[in-house]
Amino acid sequence: MKKILSILLLFCGAFNSFADYPVLPDTVTASDAFVKLPLETLDLLSTSTRMDMLDFFAADSVYKAVNSMQGESFLKKVRPDYLEVSLTPVSVMSISMLPYRKGEIVMTAYTIGDNDEAFDTDIEFFDGDYKKLPRDRFIRLPELDDFFSYPDKKARERVEELIPFPTVKYVSDPDSLTLIATLTCDQIMSPEDMASIKKFMKSRLVYKWNGRKFVLQKK
């Protein structure tokens, strides 16, 4: 009887630890996707290594796994609907589970960059069977003009001159189901050039998941 009671108490504790997170259909979790996603960027880590990383994290231990480049990779955050992993010193990936119809969509955001290289993110979408889906179906990625409110034509020409190849960093917020886009041109521009366009530059763009796709929010 005491043994049964202990098991019930353990189960209740585990249930409460996840009570604050959104409940998704009983099919795919971010941890499942981390192990099974057919992504070249995740090939740095073998399947068994990914599973070991998850086991250590569940035991409140950060496991710095040796990847195929002989560097270290480690999990930064794990919850049923979201996972974030540092793959190399200059690359990180997040995996987000987005509620969609009777299942969910898997979104990955792979970001490269550091203090010396502008951060840039590649976003991809997959179904519950890890089949890649057309990105345009779920988000219209911003163009350079979306990040600015030009006062005149001259200002626009100035921006296009200074930022011929825009780079954008995306950060997923699983609690609000939003995606934050930030233009990272400040990392490759001089302070003087940045000051000349910053006054009509938007600090960030916010996209909200509506159950079918991400929609750019208007201020």
Side-chain angles (χ1 to χ4, degrees):
M1 183 67 182
K2 291 183 178 180
K3 184 177 181 180
I4 294 176
L5 182 59
S6 297
I7 294 174
L8 288 173
L9 290 173
L10 180 63
F11 174 79
C12 290
F15 177 81
N16 288 333
S17 66
F18 287 99
D20 294 333
Y21 298 143
V23 177
L24 296 173
D26 187 20
T27 51
V28 179
T29 66
S31 294
D32 294 331
F34 176 60
V35 173
K36 299 177 182 179
L37 270 172
L39 286 173
E40 183 178 349
T41 47
L42 284 178
D43 284 348
L44 283 171
L45 303 165
S46 67
T47 299
S48 60
T49 298
R50 297 181 215 175
M51 296 174 69
D52 288 343
M53 292 169 71
L54 288 168
D55 288 341
F56 274 92
F57 196 93
D60 294 325
S61 176
V62 177
Y63 174 46
K64 293 191 175 181
V66 178
N67 57 47
S68 62
M69 297 178 63
Q70 301 306 306
E72 291 184 339
S73 303
F74 60 92
L75 291 167
K76 302 177 70 175
K77 184 178 294 186
V78 179
R79 45 189 270 185
D81 61 338
Y82 183 80
L83 180 148
E84 188 174 346
V85 56
S86 174
L87 295 171
T88 72
V90 295
S91 64
V92 64
M93 173 177 284
S94 68
I95 299 174
S96 303
M97 310 306 299
L98 304 171
Y100 183 76
R101 295 179 180 176
K102 294 183 179 180
E104 59 280 313
I105 293 294
V106 183
M107 180 185 72
T108 62
Y110 176 63
T111 302
I112 59 173
D114 56 19
N115 293 331
D116 298 320
E117 179 182 357
F119 290 102
D120 199 19
T121 303
D122 181 44
I123 295 175
E124 294 186 291
F125 296 89
F126 302 82
D127 64 16
D129 294 321
Y130 309 112
K131 178 183 177 182
K132 191 174 180 179
L133 301 170
R135 182 171 52 198
D136 293 346
R137 183 191 302 176
F138 303 104
I139 189 172
R140 182 190 73 80
L141 295 182
E143 299 177 353
L144 183 61
D145 287 352
D146 293 320
F147 287 98
F148 293 89
S149 297
Y150 301 113
D152 50 45
K153 183 179 178 180
K154 185 177 181 180
R156 182 175 184 175
E157 292 175 347
R158 177 62 173 165
V159 168
E160 292 176 346
E161 175 187 354
L162 292 175
I163 315 175
F165 305 105
T167 52
V168 181
K169 180 180 181 180
Y170 296 87
V171 176
S172 176
D173 182 350
D175 293 316
S176 60
L177 292 179
T178 56
L179 191 62
I180 312 299
T182 306
L183 192 64
T184 57
C185 60
D186 59 313
Q187 293 182 256
I188 56 175
M189 293 172 56
S190 68
E192 295 76 19
D193 286 341
M194 187 62 193
S196 69
I197 63 173
K198 190 173 183 178
K199 54 188 175 183
F200 47 87
M201 176 180 171
K202 300 173 185 176
S203 59
R204 64 179 189 169
L205 300 178
V206 179
Y207 290 82
K208 177 73 174 180
W209 180 256
N210 68 2
R212 294 181 297 107
K213 61 182 180 180
F214 279 105
V215 178
L216 180 60
Q217 303 298 288
K218 297 181 178 180
K219 292 186 177 181

